Amino acid sequence: MTEFFKNIPAIRYEGPDATSEFAFRYYNPDEVILGKRMEDHLRFAVAYWHSFAWPGGDPFGGQTFDRPWFGDSMDLARLKADVAFEMFDILGVPFYCFHDADMRPEGATFAESKRNLDAMVDYLGQKQADHKTQLLWGTANMFSNRRWMSGAATNPDPDVYAYAAATVKANMDATLTLGGQNYVLWGGREGYETLLNTDLAAERAHAGRFLQQVVEYKHKIGFKGAILIEPKPQEPSKHQYDYDVATVYGFLKDFGLEKEVQVNIEQGHAILAGHSFEHEIAMAASLGIFGSIDMNRNDYQSGWDTDQFPNNHAEKALAFYEILRAGGYTTGGTNFDAKVRRQSLDAEDLILAHVGGMDTCARALKCAAAMLESDELEANRRARYAGWETDAAKAMLEGGLEAAAARVTAEGLEPQPVSGRQERLENLWNKYI
Ligand code: XLS
Ligand code: NI
Ligand code: NI
């Protein structure tokens, strides 16, 4: 045991009236909801980067956290992993996620970085064998180091494309070795700052070919998990090619990948794209590409990806409602892509942030399940579209514009507007919260 979380107990479910801060009020892993254990519905994951690698900087100042594992040696990387698994045990989370750069020191050469990665994969593999927590997904950090400043697969320099290929290959191998259930690609630098120096068509073509190569390699090594793209409209690049779910779907179609690649949807990214989280989930489900989520919340005033822990179960209930309607996760899960604020210095802050986030999601899931089980919303939706069940309506979609138009005169159609009942439906949502 390290000293970092000393005196913090393992968190258990104690119900809504729990008196201790260090208890779950809503997250009860074994409670069965819609025929499935809560833990299996939610599939929580901790993000290695925010909790263990982020120093607490902002655009105006540097490190605020003083963690005993900060530094570049392999010994410190192992200490970081020890602390990480202590936190996973305290929380009882089934999964974690990492970028290579979060868990291994960067080497002076690619070969040295790769040796560090392989050594840490061995170490994490041992940790996974001794603990409950397993890998939800792995990914490559192709945005922090200055070599990526003009992009990874979309870099004007083909040598950087090669470096990106080597990096993703190494991380896919690492994810396979650790039994990861998904491999994620988020392209923070796959975009541009100004069109004045950018060949947009070439960059997009290179990004598409790169993703095809990733999928080819997945099949070659027998990786059974899902390949996930994480959409985000901007930040750090001014414009990113994976703008939102619909844009990603168009991109996948263009490169013949819509059956091979799914999406990892993040609340904060949805907001930056001008959508709601639930819109992005529903869109992905309707297109057959829903994979996983990055759970967090944005500050609604700031206009950037603030990655705060969720604390609004009413809002998240709408997201979980769409996840339940989509049939729930398969390989995906609820990854807390969220960090404590830079003034939240204590070990307790790190634990309680996750406890609050997990409770918020558990409460949201329970609301969503009750909304679905009552069938009130779905009955209303079915009734609203019931007209499309008739033969005449279905025939219109088969025939041409003239046949559809002919119905108006033949049947003397004069459509009567019907209430959309929005407030009544919102009252139902409120009822289950
Ligand atoms: C950044 C992204 C990132 C991905 C993984 O905004 O959310 O953290 O989830 O690279
Ligand atoms: Ni994310
Ligand atoms: Ni993000």
Side-chain angles (χ1 to χ4, degrees):
M1 286 292 282
T2 71
E3 290 285 285
F4 192 69
F5 290 118
K6 65 170 187 295
N7 305 328
I8 299 183
I11 312 294
R12 307 263 177 254
Y13 174 70
E14 291 178 19
D17 300 326
T19 49
S20 166
E21 280 183 291
F22 294 91
F24 292 121
R25 288 170 169 69
Y26 299 94
Y27 180 57
N28 184 7
D30 290 320
E31 187 174 329
V32 174
I33 294 183
L34 299 176
K36 201 158 77 174
R37 292 172 63 250
M38 217 190 245
E39 180 173 60
D40 302 330
H41 269 290
L42 291 164
R43 294 168 60 85
F44 284 130
V46 168
Y48 217 91
W49 50 103
H50 285 316
S51 290
F52 307 111
W54 183 58
D58 72 8
F60 295 87
Q63 179 172 345
T64 58
F65 299 136
D66 188 16
R67 307 296 197 213
W69 59 85
F70 280 177
D72 286 329
S73 73
M74 284 298 290
D75 279 345
L76 290 172
R78 282 186 285 266
L79 173 62
K80 190 194 315 193
D82 294 344
V83 172
F85 273 80
E86 284 171 16
M87 183 164 105
F88 305 159
D89 284 349
I90 289 170
L91 295 170
V93 283
F95 296 109
Y96 72 112
C97 302
F98 63 69
H99 304 82
D100 48 2
D102 309 328
M103 52 82 155
R104 60 100 180 99
E106 180 90 20
T109 60
F110 181 83
E112 194 190 338
S113 294
K114 174 77 164 63
R115 273 198 304 280
N116 292 348
L117 178 70
D118 291 345
M120 283 312 297
V121 166
D122 286 348
Y123 197 72
L124 291 169
Q126 201 50 56
K127 288 274 165 199
Q128 287 180 215
D130 296 342
H131 296 257
K132 158 182 171 158
T133 308
Q134 302 298 310
L135 184 63
L136 184 66
W137 48 263
T139 189
N141 177 329
M142 299 198 295
F143 43 89
S144 295
N145 190 287
R146 66 196 287 272
R147 83 173 65 85
W148 311 118
M149 70 177 194
S150 309
T154 63
N155 202 293
D157 180 354
D159 291 357
V160 180
Y161 186 103
Y163 217 95
T167 303
V168 168
K169 179 181 174 301
N171 278 280
M172 289 175 74
D173 291 342
T175 302
L176 175 72
T177 303
L178 291 172
Q181 301 205 10
N182 308 269
Y183 184 81
V184 167
L185 295 116
W186 171 66
R189 305 279 175 198
E190 309 294 30
Y192 60 81
E193 296 303 315
T194 173
L195 277 176
L196 297 176
N197 66 9
T198 301
D199 184 341
L200 187 151
E203 291 199 357
R204 191 169 173 281
H206 296 163
R209 183 61 197 133
F210 190 85
L211 191 54
Q212 289 171 340
Q213 289 171 341
V214 166
V215 168
E216 288 160 15
Y217 188 65
K218 161 194 156 147
H219 291 303
K220 178 153 185 234
I221 61 176
F223 178 65
K224 297 282 173 267
I227 302 291
L228 305 176
I229 289 274
E230 184 175 322
K232 187 175 184 181
Q234 78 266 338
E235 197 218 1
S237 297
K238 174 182 161 46
H239 183 102
Q240 287 167 210
Y241 297 122
D242 302 334
Y243 193 97
D244 62 359
V245 169
T247 307
V248 166
Y249 186 72
F251 178 85
L252 295 177
K253 279 287 246 196
D254 210 4
F255 294 94
L257 295 169
E258 72 276 13
K259 301 266 186 284
E260 295 280 0
V261 177
Q262 301 168 345
V263 281
N264 181 42
I265 300 170
E266 180 164 323
Q267 153 90 21
H269 300 184
I271 304 298
L272 289 180
H275 300 304
S276 66
F277 193 25
E278 55 273 20
H279 165 89
E280 290 290 82
I281 295 166
M283 179 62 79
S286 76
L287 296 169
I289 57 167
F290 175 66
S292 197
I293 67 171
D294 271 6
M295 175 58 77
N296 56 30
R297 81 174 200 270
N298 271 12
D299 180 284
Y300 283 113
Q301 283 78 46
S302 74
W304 70 85
D305 195 13
T306 57
D307 289 336
Q308 289 165 261
F309 281 85
N311 72 347
N312 182 337
H313 73 281
E315 193 180 87
K316 298 301 183 211
L318 295 179
F320 279 105
Y321 191 68
E322 296 305 328
I323 293 173
L324 290 177
R325 286 185 68 221
Y329 300 123
T330 50
T331 61
T334 307
N335 171 47
F336 287 107
D337 197 348
K339 57 188 182 228
V340 295
R341 299 302 88 189
R342 68 197 290 270
Q343 299 176 53
S344 301
L345 301 181
D346 300 342
E348 285 82 357
D349 294 321
L350 215 41
I351 299 293
L352 293 177
H354 284 88
V355 170
M358 290 164 78
D359 261 348
T360 297
C361 292
R363 205 172 173 190
L365 173 74
K366 293 179 86 164
C367 293
M371 281 158 67
L372 199 60
E373 222 162 15
S374 84
D375 201 45
E376 290 162 287
L377 289 163
E378 294 313 309
N380 182 78
R381 196 193 314 263
R382 285 192 298 274
R384 191 159 186 242
Y385 290 86
W388 284 97
E389 297 303 318
T390 64
D391 289 342
K394 285 182 180 153
M396 283 196 299
L397 299 179
E398 300 296 318
L401 196 60
E402 301 100 310
R407 281 190 61 211
V408 176
T409 38
E411 297 175 34
L413 296 186
E414 283 303 336
Q416 295 304 308
V418 177
S419 173
R421 301 183 169 178
Q422 180 167 336
E423 295 75 14
R424 292 166 70 174
L425 300 171
E426 286 169 350
N427 291 350
L428 285 178
W429 168 33
N430 196 29
K431 172 170 143 187
Y432 291 103
I433 282 155

